[in-house]
Amino acid sequence: MPSINSPLGARPSRFRRERVLVVGCGDVGLRAAGQLRGRVKLIALTSSTDRLPLLRQAGITPILGDLDQPASLRRLSGLATRVLHLAPPARVEEGARWWRDARSLALARSLRLRSLPSAFVYGSTSGVYGDCGGARIPETRALRPDTPRAHRRVDAERTARWLGRAGIAVRILRIPGIYAPDREGGTPRERLRKGTPVLRSEDDVYTNHIHADDLARICVAALWRGGPQRVFHASDDSELKMGDYVDLAARLYGLPLPPRIARVEAQAQLPLSLLSFMGESRRLDNARLKRELRVRLRYPTVAAGLRSAG
């Protein structure tokens, strides 16, 4: 391919190395960067000067900028050949445009100012489907978001597709609950110690999971593999209801099983943040992930992942 048509452009050889920009370089972003270190030039957007030493220590070149300040993102244009976008939408108060993800739009506009990256991977959420009544669902399932957070993710997916129409290979990862023994709050251990109840089986919901290390590997694979404008379920093989997942963790940790309560009792006892996850039930089909991204899960079940702590 002639250099003028290459996403790397007609640049000196020292600039022809692939450059991967990570936006939202938290736990999963750092894990993905660790897999790419030494293979590509790593860049991360951060709005915090406190994170600069951590990013540099991880072999990442930090760029100061704020997704909530679009003017600060102009320096990202033409900077990267591939982009991994893991930043969540901002919380929006009621009465504002609560369904919009202004952060993703600001990022997309900055990327379109100059030469486009060849690939853009967006980390969305499985919450965009809403409640599916426990059904096993493919990526073609109609989106019916039930929460403001999920509506904003749907809007971010629209923005990603807008980038795709400009010629960028966009891949959207719909991500369920992320866990890992070495991730802050990444297991039910504290919940078990507090004795937080779970729903009785007849009221319980199916939940989906992915180990943080496997998610990082999926992110890296999607930067290079998969068709353009393609959606993937970034989920493992587990088919567990939420209470069974917590029971499994209790047995592995040698802790008491959580009490089981009816849904009506849960609505009176549990915080809204937890109740929101108890109102949606679905099982994600991950066949496309394995077939097209060719990802072999290191932790195909949560039992394997929770045991990985040793």
Side-chain angles (χ1 to χ4, degrees):
M1 179 183 293
S3 61
I4 193 170
N5 295 322
S6 167
L8 299 182
R11 294 169 177 252
S13 60
R14 66 182 181 278
F15 293 127
R16 291 180 192 161
R17 190 182 187 192
E18 290 272 13
R19 303 180 301 281
V20 175
L21 168 65
V22 182
V23 179
C25 195
D27 176 64
V28 174
L30 287 170
R31 291 173 194 249
Q35 294 180 26
L36 288 167
R37 190 180 303 119
R39 298 161 51 192
V40 302
K41 167 76 173 177
L42 287 165
I43 309 162
L45 178 72
T46 181
S47 60
S48 172
T49 55
D50 293 341
R51 285 183 60 80
L52 298 180
L54 172 66
L55 293 171
R56 290 188 179 117
Q57 186 177 7
I60 303 169
T61 300
I63 300 290
L64 278 172
D66 191 334
L67 290 172
D68 296 320
Q69 302 292 329
S72 71
L73 306 179
R74 294 181 65 87
R75 63 193 303 188
L76 299 181
S77 61
L79 187 65
T81 57
R82 300 175 191 271
V83 178
L84 174 60
H85 176 24
L86 298 174
R91 292 180 178 270
V92 181
E93 298 297 330
E94 290 186 13
R97 301 178 76 186
W98 56 267
W99 65 94
R100 299 300 301 273
D101 179 16
R103 290 177 172 176
S104 290
L105 182 59
L107 174 63
R109 285 173 170 167
S110 71
L111 294 176
R112 290 190 62 161
L113 289 175
R114 292 179 57 196
S115 58
L116 300 174
S118 60
F120 180 91
V121 176
Y122 176 59
S124 185
T125 172
S126 59
V128 297
Y129 295 114
D131 181 30
C132 301
R136 171 175 283 276
I137 59 170
E139 287 86 348
T140 52
R141 175 87 174 201
L143 305 188
R144 292 190 175 88
D146 290 332
T147 66
R149 179 178 64 249
H151 276 279
R152 289 190 282 272
R153 293 290 192 169
V154 171
D155 185 63
E157 289 192 15
R158 291 192 196 102
T159 297
R161 293 184 188 280
W162 175 65
L163 279 177
R165 289 195 292 273
I168 302 172
V170 169
R171 286 130 201 169
I172 295 170
L173 305 177
R174 292 187 180 144
I175 303 169
I178 307 169
Y179 77 98
D182 61 346
R183 174 181 167 91
E184 184 178 359
T187 72
R189 191 187 296 268
E190 287 306 311
R191 177 176 172 174
L192 285 164
R193 286 174 173 163
K194 292 176 182 177
T196 304
V198 295
L199 292 174
R200 61 186 184 180
S201 182
E202 56 265 42
D203 291 332
D204 209 355
V205 296
Y206 280 100
T207 56
N208 304 272
H209 307 269
I210 189 68
H211 192 287
D213 285 342
D214 276 334
L215 178 55
R217 294 172 61 240
I218 293 167
C219 289
V220 171
L223 283 168
W224 272 270
R225 299 179 194 155
Q229 297 28 287
R230 201 70 163 147
V231 177
F232 299 92
H233 287 159
S235 182
D236 69 15
D237 299 336
S238 300
E239 288 197 4
L240 285 174
K241 289 187 174 181
M242 182 181 292
D244 296 334
Y245 166 61
V246 180
D247 282 355
L248 171 65
R251 294 187 181 99
L252 288 173
Y253 300 146
L255 294 171
L257 296 179
R260 296 271 186 161
I261 60 176
R263 181 172 292 277
V264 65
E265 295 176 89
Q267 291 170 343
Q269 294 183 32
L270 299 178
L272 287 176
S273 58
L274 184 53
L275 283 172
S276 67
F277 293 104
M278 294 180 168
E280 299 180 358
S281 183
R282 54 188 168 261
R283 291 174 289 162
L284 300 178
D285 187 329
N286 64 2
R288 182 184 288 183
L289 171 78
K290 298 174 181 178
R291 182 178 64 251
E292 298 183 21
L293 293 188
R294 304 196 299 276
V295 171
R296 298 184 67 179
L297 297 170
R298 185 170 298 160
Y299 306 107
T301 66
V302 290
L306 290 174
R307 289 192 186 102
S308 67

